[in-house]
Amino acid sequence: MATNLEAFTDYLQKEKKYSPHTLCAYVKDVSDFQQYNALNFNQQDIVSVEYVQIRSWVVFLVEEGLSAISVNRKVASLKAFYKFLLKIKQIEVNPLLKHRALKVSKKIQIPFSEKEMNLVLESFQVEEGFEGIRDRLLVELLYSTGIRRAELIHLKLNSVDFSNGSIKVLGKRNKERIIPVLSVVLEQMRLYLKERSDLEVVKDEAYFFLTKKGLKLSESFVYRLINSYFSKVSEKVKRSPHMLRHTFATHLLNNGADLNSVKELLGHSSLASTQVYTHNSLSELKKVYVGSHPRGGNDSKV
């Protein structure tokens, strides 16, 4: 089993190019199932298991209080493991072949409104120096490009092309993409770099965004910063960097952008991932429709 798990880890890292975080999650999920199987079915090797054993584990996870999303994620790790065993001819049939994921209730995430975005951006003062200029730029870049938090944190100085007005980011599975940057944001980037050049110490020189101590930003730092600024203008429960990505996509669609263009900007591999953002743009479309159609005044459902 140890050899198979090591080979699986190597496969995810080198062939699938999963991030260290995703890699650890997959390996832990498979290891957790192995431990459960050893304890409850007295079977150390999980290469050849019956679906009833996996189903028992799923029931156990649900009874432990895990959400359907978490259980589905763990089962997805297990499914990937058995697909790998099938690939290297360790098994002939994937025991999860006919498994159906647990139903998950879809929650529509409400993005920040244009008013909320403007209130936050207007709250920054240039006089605040390096940190104020950096924080405003950080919010502007997340909102105007839709990049992920990790992509922002790992943005390099040499990935900013002022002449072409674009940035190059490294997305999931090490996929690079070029994103256009608004001229007003480019000006803020130049202003930030001027302030950055005056820092006394710069340790992580290759990275674009730094703390005042010259260090690369952390994920928790960016989350706290976004949550702090938006808690002053919004009562929404979710005030995370990802909500700015969600807001970017929704506002583009609301203002007429086509789905394929938004897909490319977000770096999604399929339209299915992008379509989750159409829920809110559809509600905007309904308002326009009802307000414009001669018989729209009688529609009480919108």
Side-chain angles (χ1 to χ4, degrees):
M1 171 59 194
T3 304
N4 284 324
L5 190 54
E6 287 169 5
F8 177 58
T9 305
D10 199 51
Y11 166 72
L12 294 180
Q13 185 177 34
K14 295 180 179 177
E15 289 195 40
K16 302 296 283 184
K17 299 187 183 302
Y18 283 176
S19 68
H21 178 76
T22 304
L23 189 68
C24 288
Y26 270 59
V27 173
K28 183 180 184 304
D29 293 338
V30 175
S31 298
D32 286 349
F33 175 66
Q34 181 190 14
Q35 292 174 17
Y36 176 84
N37 207 54
L39 186 64
N40 292 274
F41 294 96
N42 196 29
Q43 182 182 356
Q44 296 289 338
D45 189 358
I46 62 168
V47 171
S48 54
V49 297
E50 300 292 331
Y51 177 65
V52 66
Q53 293 166 253
I54 298 172
R55 184 64 187 171
S56 173
W57 184 53
V58 170
V59 171
F60 166 76
L61 293 174
V62 171
E63 289 177 345
E64 284 291 294
L66 266 71
S67 67
I69 292 176
S70 296
V71 173
N72 287 341
R73 184 190 61 77
K74 287 180 175 292
V75 173
S77 301
L78 209 57
K79 187 179 287 188
F81 175 68
Y82 285 114
K83 280 180 71 176
F84 170 71
L85 294 184
L86 201 63
K87 181 183 176 74
I88 63 172
K89 296 181 169 38
Q90 285 283 313
I91 59 174
E92 293 182 359
V93 179
N94 188 332
L96 278 155
L97 190 63
K98 296 182 179 179
H99 174 77
R100 299 183 68 176
L102 301 181
K103 288 185 178 180
V104 178
S105 56
K106 293 183 179 180
K107 295 180 180 179
I108 297 176
Q109 294 184 345
I110 302 174
F112 297 119
S113 66
E114 291 186 30
K115 180 181 178 181
E116 287 172 329
M117 289 304 311
N118 289 331
L119 284 172
V120 167
L121 293 172
E122 288 167 4
S123 70
F124 293 102
Q125 300 296 325
V126 176
E127 293 78 14
E128 291 175 3
F130 170 76
E131 289 185 299
I133 292 170
R134 178 206 58 202
D135 292 356
R136 180 192 169 97
L137 175 59
L138 192 148
V139 173
E140 278 272 33
L141 203 61
L142 286 170
Y143 173 52
S144 65
T145 64
I147 59 175
R148 301 175 177 93
R149 173 172 53 176
E151 293 169 346
L152 177 133
I153 289 170
H154 292 99
L155 182 68
K156 301 287 184 67
L157 272 174
N158 60 11
S159 294
V160 180
D161 187 343
F162 284 101
S163 60
N164 288 319
S166 64
I167 57 174
K168 180 171 66 178
V169 299
L170 193 63
K172 288 185 175 180
R173 301 186 187 179
N174 293 325
K175 289 182 181 179
E176 286 187 346
R177 71 184 188 281
I178 307 295
I179 306 174
V181 179
L182 298 172
S183 57
V184 65
V185 181
L186 286 171
E187 286 304 312
Q188 290 179 35
M189 293 175 85
R190 289 190 177 95
L191 179 62
Y192 162 77
L193 287 177
K194 183 178 179 299
E195 292 291 326
R196 182 186 184 278
S197 66
D198 291 334
L199 290 176
E200 292 183 8
V201 179
V202 175
K203 295 181 180 179
D204 293 324
E205 191 173 345
Y207 295 94
F208 187 84
F209 283 104
L210 300 175
T211 67
K212 63 180 180 181
K213 293 182 179 179
L215 299 172
K216 183 181 74 167
L217 305 185
S218 67
E219 290 198 358
S220 58
F221 177 93
V222 177
Y223 177 84
R224 288 197 303 270
L225 186 145
I226 296 300
N227 187 63
S228 172
Y229 281 112
F230 280 88
S231 64
K232 298 171 185 175
V233 302
S234 175
E235 295 182 357
K236 291 181 175 66
V237 176
K238 290 201 72 175
R239 297 185 292 266
S240 65
H242 183 74
M243 282 305 296
L244 283 173
R245 179 172 165 86
H246 186 59
T247 302
F248 162 81
T250 304
H251 287 185
L252 281 180
L253 291 167
N254 285 348
N255 286 282
D258 67 278
L259 202 58
N260 268 307
S261 297
V262 176
K263 167 185 170 290
E264 293 302 316
L265 289 167
L266 291 172
H268 286 158
S269 57
S270 69
L271 269 178
S273 300
T274 316
Q275 283 171 335
V276 298
Y277 298 108
T278 62
H279 293 295
N280 292 291
S281 59
L282 180 61
S283 66
E284 290 295 318
L285 189 60
K286 282 183 178 179
K287 289 178 184 176
V288 173
Y289 170 60
V290 172
S292 305
H293 197 280
R295 295 183 61 81
N298 297 321
D299 196 326
S300 59
K301 294 181 179 180
V302 179

